[in-house]
Amino acid sequence: MQLKQERRQHSGAPKRKRKPPVVLAVLILSLMVLALSACSANGSTVFRTGSEEVSSTSARVPWDYRIIEGTVGDLIGGDMTVLPDNELLPNDNNYATGDKIWTLQFMDAELTTDANQRNDIRLSSWQTIKSFKDKKTAESDLTNLKVTVKTDVKLVGVYKTTYKKDARHFAVIELPTGNRIKQPIDEKRYAAMEKKDRVDVVLEEVHDFADYDLAYAKFRGWAD
């Protein structure tokens, strides 16, 4: 652009006044700032809409237990290793190397619930927390930590989606923990639930090993 202008000047063409590029840049920047300020004044940004703020809550909850068969490995002071994973556990039952034992493993989860009650779940790895001499004793302990109950819960609502000629039906329920889950249902159950406020369900309560009063309820089916 500068080269062309110089050529025009040399050829005797009339000279036109132009705004310097710096001035144009300042004007554009000012307009952008004014536009952003207007959006903020209207209360509508990517972080906020009106007076409603998007928020989420996180909690760590007990998630699951399982029983695994293992073999006692090396004895280290008052501890022992458990094969095949070579985990270190207290040798509370005076096991000897080579003894067959059963171990109780625990998994917890970080549960994040957003403003719309949708959940994001991140599971931990399995942690071995206790050993048993026989499977029967281990299973007895497990039944106290994972308890199946029948109860009624709040039915948030039912809805259906249609694609071409296929229809799918869903129910949204609110568990005692406060989080909401969506479950597929058939057309008959959809019709039966359409005007209900509460429904009967089967839940599995998973209790924390160290604090039994801390529990998390999982949906395991409809009670009827």
Side-chain angles (χ1 to χ4, degrees), residues 1-97:
M1 293 296 291
Q2 186 177 0
L3 182 59
K4 290 180 179 179
Q5 186 177 358
E6 288 176 357
R7 286 178 178 174
R8 289 195 187 101
Q9 291 174 2
H10 288 310
S11 63
K15 191 182 299 183
R16 290 181 297 176
K17 293 183 179 180
R18 297 191 178 188
K19 293 183 179 179
V22 175
V23 175
L24 289 174
V26 172
L27 288 173
I28 293 172
L29 182 61
S30 300
L31 290 172
M32 292 174 63
V33 171
L34 289 172
L36 290 173
S37 299
C39 289
S40 178
N42 291 333
S44 179
T45 70
V46 293
F47 301 105
R48 184 171 181 161
T49 303
S51 61
E52 181 181 349
E53 293 186 1
V54 177
S55 61
S56 61
T57 58
S58 295
R60 188 159 291 278
V61 298
W63 187 257
D64 204 2
Y65 292 92
R66 68 179 181 182
I67 297 171
I68 299 294
E69 184 179 9
T71 303
V72 178
D74 295 329
L75 304 181
I76 306 172
D79 297 329
M80 63 179 178
T81 58
V82 181
L83 306 175
D85 297 329
N86 210 38
E87 293 182 277
L88 190 65
L89 278 181
N91 188 6
D92 295 331
N93 293 314
N94 296 318
Y95 299 113
T97 298

Side-chain angles (χ1 to χ4, degrees), residues 155 158-160 169-170 185-196:
L155 176 63
V158 294
Y159 69 95
K160 68 178 179 180
H169 303 79
F170 298 91
I185 55 177
D186 58 27
E187 188 174 0
K188 182 180 178 181
R189 190 177 294 277
Y190 173 85
M193 287 183 171
E194 202 167 6
K195 296 182 180 180
K196 288 186 176 181

Side-chain angles (χ1 to χ4, degrees), residues 136-198:
K136 184 178 180 180
T137 307
E139 289 176 341
S140 176
D141 223 26
L142 186 62
T143 56
N144 295 322
L145 295 169
K146 294 172 66 172
V147 182
T148 301
V149 296
K150 292 182 180 181
T151 186
D152 66 312
V153 296
K154 179 182 177 181
L155 176 63
V156 179
V158 294
Y159 69 95
K160 68 178 179 180
T161 59
T162 305
Y163 178 71
K164 294 182 179 179
K165 294 183 179 180
D166 297 328
R168 300 178 65 190
H169 303 79
F170 298 91
V172 180
I173 60 174
E174 185 173 297
L175 299 181
T177 49
N179 59 300
R180 295 178 179 180
I181 62 170
K182 177 182 71 175
Q183 290 295 320
I185 55 177
D186 58 27
E187 188 174 0
K188 182 180 178 181
R189 190 177 294 277
Y190 173 85
M193 287 183 171
E194 202 167 6
K195 296 182 180 180
K196 288 186 176 181
D197 295 324
R198 302 188 70 84

